Short mmCIF file of all heavy atoms in Angstrom, two decimals:
data_model
loop_
_atom_site.label_atom_id
_atom_site.label_comp_id
_atom_site.label_asym_id
_atom_site.label_seq_id
_atom_site.Cartn_x
_atom_site.Cartn_y
_atom_site.Cartn_z
N PRO E 1458 -12.33 -15.74 -22.85
CA PRO E 1458 -13.63 -16.31 -23.29
C PRO E 1458 -14.63 -16.77 -22.18
O PRO E 1458 -15.80 -16.74 -22.27
CB PRO E 1458 -13.23 -17.51 -24.11
CG PRO E 1458 -11.81 -17.24 -24.44
CD PRO E 1458 -11.24 -16.43 -23.34
N GLU E 1459 -14.08 -17.16 -21.15
CA GLU E 1459 -14.89 -17.66 -19.95
C GLU E 1459 -15.67 -16.55 -19.17
O GLU E 1459 -16.54 -16.73 -18.49
CB GLU E 1459 -14.09 -18.36 -18.79
CG GLU E 1459 -13.18 -19.40 -19.40
CD GLU E 1459 -11.78 -18.91 -19.70
OE1 GLU E 1459 -11.65 -18.14 -20.60
OE2 GLU E 1459 -10.95 -19.29 -18.91
N ALA E 1460 -15.24 -15.30 -19.48
CA ALA E 1460 -15.75 -14.25 -18.73
C ALA E 1460 -17.00 -13.64 -19.45
O ALA E 1460 -17.11 -13.46 -20.70
CB ALA E 1460 -14.79 -13.14 -18.60
N GLY E 1461 -18.01 -13.25 -18.64
CA GLY E 1461 -19.21 -12.64 -19.20
C GLY E 1461 -19.38 -11.26 -18.58
O GLY E 1461 -20.24 -10.42 -18.98
N ALA E 1462 -18.45 -10.78 -17.89
CA ALA E 1462 -18.47 -9.49 -17.20
C ALA E 1462 -16.99 -9.10 -16.80
O ALA E 1462 -16.23 -9.78 -16.33
CB ALA E 1462 -19.38 -9.49 -15.96
N VAL E 1463 -16.80 -7.76 -16.88
CA VAL E 1463 -15.57 -7.19 -16.30
C VAL E 1463 -16.04 -5.96 -15.53
O VAL E 1463 -16.77 -4.99 -16.06
CB VAL E 1463 -14.64 -6.63 -17.48
CG1 VAL E 1463 -13.34 -6.00 -16.87
CG2 VAL E 1463 -14.24 -7.81 -18.34
N ALA E 1464 -15.68 -5.86 -14.26
CA ALA E 1464 -15.91 -4.66 -13.52
C ALA E 1464 -14.65 -3.93 -13.35
O ALA E 1464 -13.56 -4.50 -13.05
CB ALA E 1464 -16.37 -5.08 -12.14
N LEU E 1465 -14.74 -2.60 -13.66
CA LEU E 1465 -13.65 -1.72 -13.61
C LEU E 1465 -13.88 -0.69 -12.48
O LEU E 1465 -14.89 -0.06 -12.28
CB LEU E 1465 -13.54 -0.96 -14.90
CG LEU E 1465 -13.05 -1.75 -16.13
CD1 LEU E 1465 -13.19 -0.83 -17.35
CD2 LEU E 1465 -11.53 -2.14 -15.95
N PHE E 1466 -12.78 -0.57 -11.63
CA PHE E 1466 -12.78 0.45 -10.63
C PHE E 1466 -11.63 1.43 -11.01
O PHE E 1466 -10.52 0.99 -11.19
CB PHE E 1466 -12.69 -0.04 -9.19
CG PHE E 1466 -12.44 1.09 -8.16
CD1 PHE E 1466 -13.61 1.73 -7.77
CD2 PHE E 1466 -11.22 1.58 -7.84
CE1 PHE E 1466 -13.51 2.73 -6.80
CE2 PHE E 1466 -11.13 2.57 -6.92
CZ PHE E 1466 -12.25 3.27 -6.41
N VAL E 1467 -11.96 2.68 -10.95
CA VAL E 1467 -10.95 3.74 -11.39
C VAL E 1467 -10.91 4.76 -10.28
O VAL E 1467 -11.92 5.41 -9.98
CB VAL E 1467 -11.28 4.47 -12.63
CG1 VAL E 1467 -10.18 5.50 -13.04
CG2 VAL E 1467 -11.38 3.30 -13.91
N GLY E 1468 -9.71 4.89 -9.56
CA GLY E 1468 -9.69 5.70 -8.52
C GLY E 1468 -8.90 7.00 -8.96
O GLY E 1468 -7.85 6.89 -9.64
N THR E 1469 -9.50 8.19 -8.72
CA THR E 1469 -8.81 9.47 -9.28
C THR E 1469 -8.56 10.39 -8.28
O THR E 1469 -9.09 10.39 -7.12
CB THR E 1469 -9.88 10.09 -10.33
OG1 THR E 1469 -11.15 10.36 -9.72
CG2 THR E 1469 -10.15 9.15 -11.50
N VAL E 1470 -7.77 11.42 -8.54
CA VAL E 1470 -7.41 12.45 -7.72
C VAL E 1470 -8.50 13.49 -7.44
O VAL E 1470 -8.82 14.15 -8.43
CB VAL E 1470 -6.00 13.03 -8.03
CG1 VAL E 1470 -5.63 14.21 -6.92
CG2 VAL E 1470 -4.95 12.07 -8.18
N ARG E 1471 -8.92 13.61 -6.25
CA ARG E 1471 -10.12 14.54 -5.91
C ARG E 1471 -9.51 15.98 -5.57
O ARG E 1471 -8.54 16.02 -4.68
CB ARG E 1471 -10.84 13.93 -4.78
CG ARG E 1471 -12.04 14.75 -4.29
CD ARG E 1471 -12.86 13.90 -3.24
NE ARG E 1471 -11.95 13.49 -2.10
CZ ARG E 1471 -11.82 12.18 -1.75
NH1 ARG E 1471 -12.42 11.29 -2.26
NH2 ARG E 1471 -10.93 11.97 -0.77
N GLU E 1472 -10.24 16.89 -6.02
CA GLU E 1472 -9.82 18.36 -5.66
C GLU E 1472 -10.20 18.74 -4.36
O GLU E 1472 -9.37 19.36 -3.57
CB GLU E 1472 -10.23 19.34 -6.67
CG GLU E 1472 -9.90 20.75 -6.48
CD GLU E 1472 -10.09 21.60 -7.65
OE1 GLU E 1472 -10.96 21.30 -8.55
OE2 GLU E 1472 -9.50 22.74 -7.72
N TRP E 1473 -11.48 18.52 -3.89
CA TRP E 1473 -11.94 19.00 -2.63
C TRP E 1473 -12.18 17.84 -1.64
O TRP E 1473 -12.94 16.92 -2.01
CB TRP E 1473 -13.27 19.79 -2.82
CG TRP E 1473 -13.06 20.96 -3.59
CD1 TRP E 1473 -13.09 21.19 -4.94
CD2 TRP E 1473 -12.59 22.25 -3.13
NE1 TRP E 1473 -12.87 22.50 -5.32
CE2 TRP E 1473 -12.52 23.12 -4.22
CE3 TRP E 1473 -12.37 22.82 -1.84
CZ2 TRP E 1473 -12.21 24.49 -4.05
CZ3 TRP E 1473 -12.04 24.11 -1.72
CH2 TRP E 1473 -11.89 25.00 -2.76
N THR E 1474 -11.72 17.94 -0.40
CA THR E 1474 -12.00 17.02 0.66
C THR E 1474 -12.33 17.70 1.83
O THR E 1474 -11.56 18.50 2.39
CB THR E 1474 -10.75 16.09 0.96
OG1 THR E 1474 -10.44 15.39 -0.30
CG2 THR E 1474 -11.05 15.09 2.01
N ASN E 1475 -13.68 17.62 2.22
CA ASN E 1475 -14.15 18.30 3.43
C ASN E 1475 -13.80 19.78 3.50
O ASN E 1475 -13.34 20.36 4.44
CB ASN E 1475 -13.57 17.69 4.77
CG ASN E 1475 -13.95 16.17 4.80
OD1 ASN E 1475 -15.00 15.79 4.39
ND2 ASN E 1475 -13.03 15.49 5.40
N GLY E 1476 -14.06 20.44 2.29
CA GLY E 1476 -13.83 21.84 2.19
C GLY E 1476 -12.46 22.29 1.97
O GLY E 1476 -12.17 23.55 1.84
N LYS E 1477 -11.52 21.39 1.94
CA LYS E 1477 -10.10 21.78 1.68
C LYS E 1477 -9.63 21.37 0.32
O LYS E 1477 -9.91 20.26 -0.27
CB LYS E 1477 -9.28 21.02 2.73
CG LYS E 1477 -7.89 21.56 2.97
CD LYS E 1477 -7.29 21.12 4.27
CE LYS E 1477 -6.12 21.86 4.70
NZ LYS E 1477 -5.45 21.38 5.88
N ARG E 1478 -8.97 22.31 -0.29
CA ARG E 1478 -8.57 22.15 -1.73
C ARG E 1478 -7.20 21.61 -1.84
O ARG E 1478 -6.17 22.00 -1.37
CB ARG E 1478 -8.56 23.57 -2.42
CG ARG E 1478 -8.28 23.32 -3.91
CD ARG E 1478 -8.37 24.75 -4.56
NE ARG E 1478 -8.45 24.67 -5.97
CZ ARG E 1478 -8.65 25.71 -6.67
NH1 ARG E 1478 -8.60 26.94 -6.28
NH2 ARG E 1478 -8.85 25.55 -8.05
N THR E 1479 -7.15 20.44 -2.66
CA THR E 1479 -5.90 19.75 -2.95
C THR E 1479 -5.35 20.30 -4.20
O THR E 1479 -6.14 20.52 -5.24
CB THR E 1479 -6.25 18.20 -3.10
OG1 THR E 1479 -6.65 17.64 -1.81
CG2 THR E 1479 -4.92 17.56 -3.45
N LEU E 1480 -4.10 20.66 -4.25
CA LEU E 1480 -3.43 21.19 -5.44
C LEU E 1480 -2.87 19.95 -6.31
O LEU E 1480 -3.07 19.89 -7.43
CB LEU E 1480 -2.29 22.12 -5.11
CG LEU E 1480 -2.71 23.31 -4.39
CD1 LEU E 1480 -1.49 24.15 -4.04
CD2 LEU E 1480 -3.79 24.20 -4.93
N PHE E 1481 -2.18 19.12 -5.70
CA PHE E 1481 -1.79 17.82 -6.24
C PHE E 1481 -1.40 16.76 -5.16
O PHE E 1481 -1.33 17.08 -3.97
CB PHE E 1481 -0.58 18.06 -7.19
CG PHE E 1481 0.62 18.70 -6.54
CD1 PHE E 1481 1.60 17.88 -5.91
CD2 PHE E 1481 0.83 19.98 -6.43
CE1 PHE E 1481 2.72 18.22 -5.27
CE2 PHE E 1481 2.02 20.52 -5.81
CZ PHE E 1481 2.95 19.66 -5.17
N LEU E 1482 -1.19 15.51 -5.56
CA LEU E 1482 -0.73 14.49 -4.67
C LEU E 1482 0.56 13.94 -5.05
O LEU E 1482 0.94 13.97 -6.23
CB LEU E 1482 -1.72 13.24 -4.70
CG LEU E 1482 -3.28 13.53 -4.21
CD1 LEU E 1482 -3.95 12.27 -4.27
CD2 LEU E 1482 -3.20 14.02 -2.77
N GLN E 1483 1.30 13.45 -4.01
CA GLN E 1483 2.54 12.75 -4.25
C GLN E 1483 2.33 11.31 -3.66
O GLN E 1483 1.96 11.18 -2.47
CB GLN E 1483 3.72 13.48 -3.54
CG GLN E 1483 5.01 13.03 -3.84
CD GLN E 1483 5.47 13.61 -5.24
OE1 GLN E 1483 5.18 14.74 -5.58
NE2 GLN E 1483 6.29 12.78 -5.94
N TYR E 1484 2.39 10.32 -4.51
CA TYR E 1484 2.29 8.94 -4.03
C TYR E 1484 3.71 8.23 -3.91
O TYR E 1484 4.45 8.46 -4.82
CB TYR E 1484 1.46 8.00 -4.97
CG TYR E 1484 -0.04 8.19 -4.78
CD1 TYR E 1484 -0.84 8.92 -5.64
CD2 TYR E 1484 -0.69 7.38 -3.86
CE1 TYR E 1484 -2.17 9.13 -5.45
CE2 TYR E 1484 -2.03 7.54 -3.73
CZ TYR E 1484 -2.80 8.32 -4.50
OH TYR E 1484 -4.17 8.34 -4.34
N GLU E 1485 3.94 7.60 -2.79
CA GLU E 1485 5.15 6.83 -2.64
C GLU E 1485 4.71 5.40 -2.36
O GLU E 1485 3.71 5.01 -1.65
CB GLU E 1485 5.91 7.41 -1.40
CG GLU E 1485 7.12 6.65 -1.05
CD GLU E 1485 7.72 7.33 0.25
OE1 GLU E 1485 7.80 8.54 0.32
OE2 GLU E 1485 8.26 6.54 1.13
N ALA E 1486 5.62 4.46 -2.72
CA ALA E 1486 5.35 3.03 -2.50
C ALA E 1486 6.63 2.28 -2.11
O ALA E 1486 7.65 2.68 -2.54
CB ALA E 1486 4.71 2.34 -3.67
N TYR E 1487 6.45 1.28 -1.33
CA TYR E 1487 7.47 0.27 -1.29
C TYR E 1487 7.27 -0.73 -2.39
O TYR E 1487 6.47 -1.67 -2.19
CB TYR E 1487 7.30 -0.47 0.29
CG TYR E 1487 8.31 -1.39 0.61
CD1 TYR E 1487 9.42 -1.75 -0.25
CD2 TYR E 1487 8.18 -2.23 1.70
CE1 TYR E 1487 10.40 -2.72 0.23
CE2 TYR E 1487 9.11 -3.13 2.15
CZ TYR E 1487 10.18 -3.41 1.48
OH TYR E 1487 11.13 -4.32 1.84
N VAL E 1488 7.81 -0.47 -3.50
CA VAL E 1488 7.36 -1.06 -4.76
C VAL E 1488 7.35 -2.46 -4.84
O VAL E 1488 6.25 -3.09 -5.12
CB VAL E 1488 8.12 -0.44 -5.93
CG1 VAL E 1488 7.84 -1.02 -7.17
CG2 VAL E 1488 7.97 1.03 -6.08
N SER E 1489 8.39 -3.12 -4.27
CA SER E 1489 8.51 -4.58 -4.45
C SER E 1489 7.53 -5.34 -3.54
O SER E 1489 6.81 -6.23 -4.01
CB SER E 1489 9.94 -5.06 -4.13
OG SER E 1489 10.33 -4.51 -2.82
N MET E 1490 7.26 -4.75 -2.37
CA MET E 1490 6.34 -5.35 -1.54
C MET E 1490 4.90 -5.02 -1.94
O MET E 1490 4.01 -5.83 -1.75
CB MET E 1490 6.50 -4.85 -0.05
CG MET E 1490 5.46 -5.58 1.00
SD MET E 1490 6.00 -5.09 2.67
CE MET E 1490 4.56 -5.68 3.45
N ALA E 1491 4.76 -3.77 -2.45
CA ALA E 1491 3.32 -3.36 -2.91
C ALA E 1491 2.83 -4.32 -4.02
O ALA E 1491 1.71 -4.73 -4.03
CB ALA E 1491 3.44 -1.94 -3.38
N GLU E 1492 3.75 -4.65 -4.93
CA GLU E 1492 3.36 -5.56 -6.03
C GLU E 1492 3.02 -6.90 -5.45
O GLU E 1492 2.09 -7.55 -5.90
CB GLU E 1492 4.47 -5.54 -7.10
CG GLU E 1492 4.44 -4.21 -7.75
CD GLU E 1492 5.52 -4.25 -8.92
OE1 GLU E 1492 6.53 -4.95 -8.91
OE2 GLU E 1492 5.34 -3.38 -9.92
N LYS E 1493 3.78 -7.36 -4.50
CA LYS E 1493 3.45 -8.67 -3.85
C LYS E 1493 2.15 -8.59 -3.15
O LYS E 1493 1.44 -9.64 -3.22
CB LYS E 1493 4.53 -9.07 -2.82
CG LYS E 1493 5.79 -9.68 -3.52
CD LYS E 1493 6.98 -9.77 -2.40
CE LYS E 1493 6.72 -10.93 -1.43
NZ LYS E 1493 7.94 -11.22 -0.69
N MET E 1494 1.86 -7.56 -2.41
CA MET E 1494 0.52 -7.34 -1.75
C MET E 1494 -0.68 -7.42 -2.75
O MET E 1494 -1.71 -7.85 -2.54
CB MET E 1494 0.64 -6.16 -0.72
CG MET E 1494 1.52 -6.31 0.34
SD MET E 1494 1.00 -7.59 1.49
CE MET E 1494 2.37 -8.74 1.41
N LEU E 1495 -0.41 -6.69 -3.82
CA LEU E 1495 -1.50 -6.66 -4.79
C LEU E 1495 -1.78 -7.97 -5.35
O LEU E 1495 -2.84 -8.46 -5.50
CB LEU E 1495 -1.09 -5.62 -6.02
CG LEU E 1495 -1.08 -4.20 -5.70
CD1 LEU E 1495 -0.56 -3.45 -6.98
CD2 LEU E 1495 -2.40 -3.57 -5.30
N ALA E 1496 -0.67 -8.79 -5.60
CA ALA E 1496 -0.84 -10.19 -5.99
C ALA E 1496 -1.48 -11.00 -5.03
O ALA E 1496 -2.24 -11.86 -5.33
CB ALA E 1496 0.58 -10.69 -6.48
N GLN E 1497 -1.27 -10.74 -3.68
CA GLN E 1497 -1.98 -11.44 -2.61
C GLN E 1497 -3.42 -11.19 -2.67
O GLN E 1497 -4.30 -12.09 -2.45
CB GLN E 1497 -1.26 -11.04 -1.30
CG GLN E 1497 -2.01 -11.77 -0.20
CD GLN E 1497 -1.49 -11.25 1.22
OE1 GLN E 1497 -0.32 -11.09 1.48
NE2 GLN E 1497 -2.45 -11.09 2.15
N ILE E 1498 -3.73 -9.92 -2.89
CA ILE E 1498 -5.26 -9.53 -2.98
C ILE E 1498 -5.77 -10.34 -4.16
O ILE E 1498 -6.94 -10.82 -4.08
CB ILE E 1498 -5.28 -8.07 -3.22
CG1 ILE E 1498 -4.95 -7.34 -1.98
CG2 ILE E 1498 -6.82 -7.69 -3.62
CD1 ILE E 1498 -4.83 -5.85 -2.12
N GLY E 1499 -5.21 -10.44 -5.25
CA GLY E 1499 -5.54 -11.20 -6.39
C GLY E 1499 -5.75 -12.75 -5.98
O GLY E 1499 -6.89 -13.36 -6.45
N ALA E 1500 -4.94 -13.27 -5.08
CA ALA E 1500 -5.03 -14.74 -4.78
C ALA E 1500 -6.19 -14.85 -3.68
O ALA E 1500 -6.90 -15.78 -3.89
CB ALA E 1500 -3.76 -15.13 -4.01
N GLU E 1501 -6.45 -13.82 -2.92
CA GLU E 1501 -7.54 -13.89 -1.93
C GLU E 1501 -8.83 -13.84 -2.73
O GLU E 1501 -9.83 -14.50 -2.36
CB GLU E 1501 -7.57 -12.67 -0.99
CG GLU E 1501 -6.36 -12.72 -0.01
CD GLU E 1501 -6.21 -11.42 0.67
OE1 GLU E 1501 -7.08 -10.57 0.59
OE2 GLU E 1501 -5.27 -11.37 1.59
N ILE E 1502 -8.85 -13.14 -3.77
CA ILE E 1502 -10.14 -12.96 -4.65
C ILE E 1502 -10.35 -14.30 -5.31
O ILE E 1502 -11.45 -14.78 -5.36
CB ILE E 1502 -10.00 -11.85 -5.67
CG1 ILE E 1502 -10.20 -10.48 -4.99
CG2 ILE E 1502 -10.97 -11.97 -6.82
CD1 ILE E 1502 -9.85 -9.32 -5.79
N LYS E 1503 -9.27 -14.90 -5.91
CA LYS E 1503 -9.32 -16.19 -6.53
C LYS E 1503 -9.95 -17.31 -5.52
O LYS E 1503 -10.75 -18.10 -5.88
CB LYS E 1503 -8.04 -16.63 -6.96
CG LYS E 1503 -7.97 -17.71 -8.00
CD LYS E 1503 -7.52 -17.18 -9.23
CE LYS E 1503 -8.15 -17.95 -10.40
NZ LYS E 1503 -8.23 -17.22 -11.70
N GLU E 1504 -9.57 -17.13 -4.23
CA GLU E 1504 -10.17 -18.07 -3.26
C GLU E 1504 -11.60 -17.82 -2.90
O GLU E 1504 -12.39 -18.77 -2.83
CB GLU E 1504 -9.33 -17.88 -1.95
CG GLU E 1504 -9.43 -19.05 -1.02
CD GLU E 1504 -8.14 -19.40 -0.35
OE1 GLU E 1504 -7.25 -19.66 -0.94
OE2 GLU E 1504 -8.19 -19.36 0.90
#
Side-chain angles (χ1 to χ4, degrees):
Chain E
E1459 309 91 293
V1463 180
L1465 289 169
F1466 174 83
V1467 179
T1469 58
V1470 177
R1471 178 175 56 236
E1472 182 169 15
W1473 293 92
T1474 301
N1475 302 326
K1477 201 161 187 183
R1478 184 180 199 176
T1479 297
L1480 301 181
F1481 60 87
L1482 293 182
Q1483 192 80 34
Y1484 277 98
E1485 174 182 320
Y1487 183 5
V1488 174
S1489 54
M1490 182 173 170
E1492 289 181 337
K1493 278 171 75 171
M1494 290 296 116
L1495 291 176
Q1497 180 184 314
I1498 292 169
E1501 290 172 5
I1502 286 172
K1503 196 111 208 157
E1504 193 143 306

